[in-house]
């Protein structure tokens, strides 16, 4: 039952993250392209373009991390682990996923503390809190925690 609940939550979170990552990447491309045209064609620029593209970049990257965890596309070194017997590999995967989930909880907690501490600081060109850079870290780490917890509790069978 817990597996079904986690799967349901993660399906929705993955869908939302995919849309936000797509939107963030599109925003980056549009803002940077418009900034290049403004600078080199019109000899002018938008004051806010650098900050908006940086915000879009940070949001895109940190919201995409859990999707990479889900798909197993993050960098991993398996040279030694591939030589272990399947039951040991499965146990090792569960332990490392559980430890990684705990690490993500620490990231969430620390990011919340820093976001609260920097909430009153404003960005230069746009009237926005500088904590906007910590919100995707919090959301991405929470999302990653759920994926890692599911992988630790309900692992898929390792391939031989």
């Amino acid at each position: 039952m817990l597996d079904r609940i986690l799967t349901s939550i993660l399906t929705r979170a993955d869908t939302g993250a995919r849309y936000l990552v797509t939107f963030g990447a599109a925003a980056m491309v549009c803002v940077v392209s418009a900034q290049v045209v403004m600078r080199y064609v019109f000899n002018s620029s938008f004051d806010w373009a650098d900050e908006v593209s940086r915000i879009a970049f940070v949001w895109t990257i940190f919201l995409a991390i859990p999707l990479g965890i889900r798909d197993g596309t993050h960098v991993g070194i398996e040279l030694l682990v591939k030589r272990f017997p399947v039951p040991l590999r499965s146990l090792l995967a569960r332990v490392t996923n559980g430890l990684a989930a705990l690490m993500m909880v620490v990231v969430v907690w620390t990011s919340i503390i820093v976001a609260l501490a920097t909430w009153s600081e404003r960005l230069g060109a746009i009237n926005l809190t500088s904590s906007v850079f910590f919100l995707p870290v919090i959301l991405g780490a929470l999302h990653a925690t759920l994926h890692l917890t599911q992988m630790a509790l309900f692992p898929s069978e390792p391939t031989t």
Side-chain angles (χ1 to χ4, degrees):
M1 180 163 140
L2 179 60
D3 188 26
R4 280 187 284 149
I5 293 170
L6 268 174
T7 300
S8 174
I9 292 169
L10 285 169
T11 300
R12 288 183 181 96
D14 290 346
T15 301
R18 247 189 323 279
Y19 283 125
L20 288 172
V21 165
T22 303
F23 176 77
M28 260 188 302
V29 168
C30 290
V31 169
V32 171
S33 298
Q35 181 71 334
V36 167
V37 169
M38 288 299 293
R39 278 191 183 158
Y40 295 105
V41 174
F42 299 108
N43 202 25
S44 182
S45 66
F46 301 119
D47 293 338
W48 48 265
D50 290 336
E51 287 182 350
V52 169
S53 62
R54 194 166 19 123
I55 290 167
F57 176 76
V58 170
W59 276 80
T60 300
I61 295 302
F62 281 98
L63 294 179
I65 289 171
L67 300 175
I69 290 172
R70 178 202 64 201
D71 296 338
T73 55
H74 283 285
V75 174
I77 301 171
E78 299 177 335
L79 183 65
L80 180 62
V81 176
K82 284 274 189 190
R83 299 178 192 274
F84 292 163
V86 173
L88 182 57
R89 264 189 281 162
S90 179
L91 175 65
L92 196 57
R94 292 179 87 156
V95 169
T96 56
N97 287 327
L99 289 172
L102 289 174
M103 184 183 74
M104 286 293 109
V105 170
V106 171
V107 169
V108 169
W109 182 253
T110 305
S111 298
I112 289 171
I113 291 169
V114 175
L116 290 173
T118 61
W119 192 261
S120 62
E121 296 175 16
R122 309 312 273 177
L123 296 176
I126 52 179
N127 188 24
L128 199 60
T129 176
S130 63
S131 294
V132 73
F133 290 106
F134 293 100
L135 297 178
V137 177
I138 295 166
L139 294 173
L142 278 171
H143 189 179
T145 300
L146 292 176
H147 272 297
L148 290 163
T149 300
Q150 184 180 43
M151 291 164 62
L153 295 176
F154 311 103
S156 58
E157 292 301 315
T159 57
T160 55

